[in-house]
Amino acid sequence: MNVDIPRDLRTRRCLDTHQEIHRAALELFEEQGVRETTVQQISDRVGISARTFFRYFTSKEQAALPGQRRLLLVIDALEVSGPDPAAVLSSVEAAAEAVMSRATDPDLEEHRRVARLLAKEPDLQALAASQEQVLTSRLRARLTEQVPHYDPATILLIAETAVAVWRTSWERWGELTLAGEVEEPVEVYRRCREELRRIVG
């Protein structure tokens, strides 16, 4: 007899499998490196087939970098605090700080592991760069909705700058983590943001 699984239970099972694959990929990458790890090894560790793996992720690298889900959610809900470019950038920075704050991040240790891998694995860095293009595109679209009277070049510059500071912060945090230094990601973000302001005057 075929019994339908309630949608919420099915969704939870999918999310659980997604997380299991992600954690297995992280573990194997930490143990033996990205290039030496295969999709089959990740699948075997989870107890699924390679075919099932590809229902969740398009590549082994993507399994370790599930994307900037929390930042994308914040971007989609972003409300700018004022009409001038400085206020718009400030709104974006406040949103980024909220995402990086330890108080709102239950997966900080997992992020630390991902940051360590990113600092030393070129294959993961390439995927992270493509994910950043998605962030920039989404942020640009959201800002266009919020401040439609802005010149498109201004909106693009704000989006590119915000994502560049975000990327630099995570990259620097990964380097520090790899060196054994324990820092809060939000503090690294604030330092990078202030350094950019110092550079551009």
Side-chain angles (χ1 to χ4, degrees):
M1 182 164 65
N2 222 355
V3 178
D4 284 338
I5 299 170
R7 186 176 178 82
D8 59 330
L9 181 57
R10 184 178 289 123
T11 301
R12 282 201 307 274
R13 286 183 180 167
C14 284
L15 288 172
D16 287 347
T17 303
H18 186 279
Q19 273 300 102
E20 286 175 25
I21 295 170
H22 168 62
R23 288 187 186 119
L26 272 184
E27 289 167 6
L28 285 163
F29 290 171
E30 287 169 336
E31 290 167 15
Q32 58 191 33
V34 175
R35 291 193 178 172
E36 292 74 16
T37 299
T38 66
V39 166
Q40 191 60 57
Q41 287 174 325
I42 297 169
S43 302
D44 289 346
R45 184 160 288 198
V46 178
I48 59 171
S49 67
R51 184 175 175 180
T52 299
F53 173 96
F54 286 112
R55 287 188 196 140
Y56 292 87
F57 297 101
T58 58
S59 68
K60 63 183 183 179
E61 292 84 3
Q62 191 192 52
L65 295 179
Q68 308 287 5
R69 292 186 305 268
R70 296 176 74 234
L71 188 58
L72 286 169
L73 289 171
V74 167
I75 287 171
D76 290 343
L78 181 68
E79 300 286 340
V80 300
S81 62
D84 62 285
V88 172
L89 186 56
S90 179
S91 299
V92 174
E93 290 171 347
E97 275 201 30
V99 171
M100 297 184 95
S101 170
R102 182 185 182 92
T104 61
D105 192 350
D107 302 317
L108 185 62
E109 185 50 42
E110 187 172 301
H111 294 324
R112 199 181 304 277
R113 292 170 66 196
V114 171
R116 259 195 308 264
L117 281 170
L118 272 171
K120 64 179 182 177
E121 292 283 358
D123 293 342
L124 291 183
Q125 292 165 9
L127 178 59
S130 69
Q131 290 180 346
E132 285 153 17
Q133 290 177 343
V134 173
L135 288 175
T136 303
S137 177
R138 287 275 275 279
L139 181 54
R140 186 182 186 186
R142 183 62 181 163
L143 291 175
T144 300
E145 291 172 7
Q146 293 284 298
V147 282
H149 58 284
Y150 271 26
D151 180 274
T154 301
I155 288 177
L156 180 57
L157 279 168
I158 291 171
E160 290 281 1
T161 301
V163 173
V165 174
W166 171 265
R167 178 188 65 246
T168 302
S169 303
W170 280 108
E171 195 171 310
R172 184 64 187 133
W173 187 52
E175 292 169 352
L176 292 168
T177 301
L178 200 58
E181 296 183 40
V182 179
E183 289 219 41
E184 295 294 325
V186 71
E187 292 303 324
V188 177
Y189 173 78
R190 287 172 183 151
R191 284 204 305 274
C192 289
R193 184 185 64 202
E194 293 310 312
E195 182 61 14
L196 177 64
R197 285 180 178 151
R198 188 189 68 77
I199 292 168
V200 299

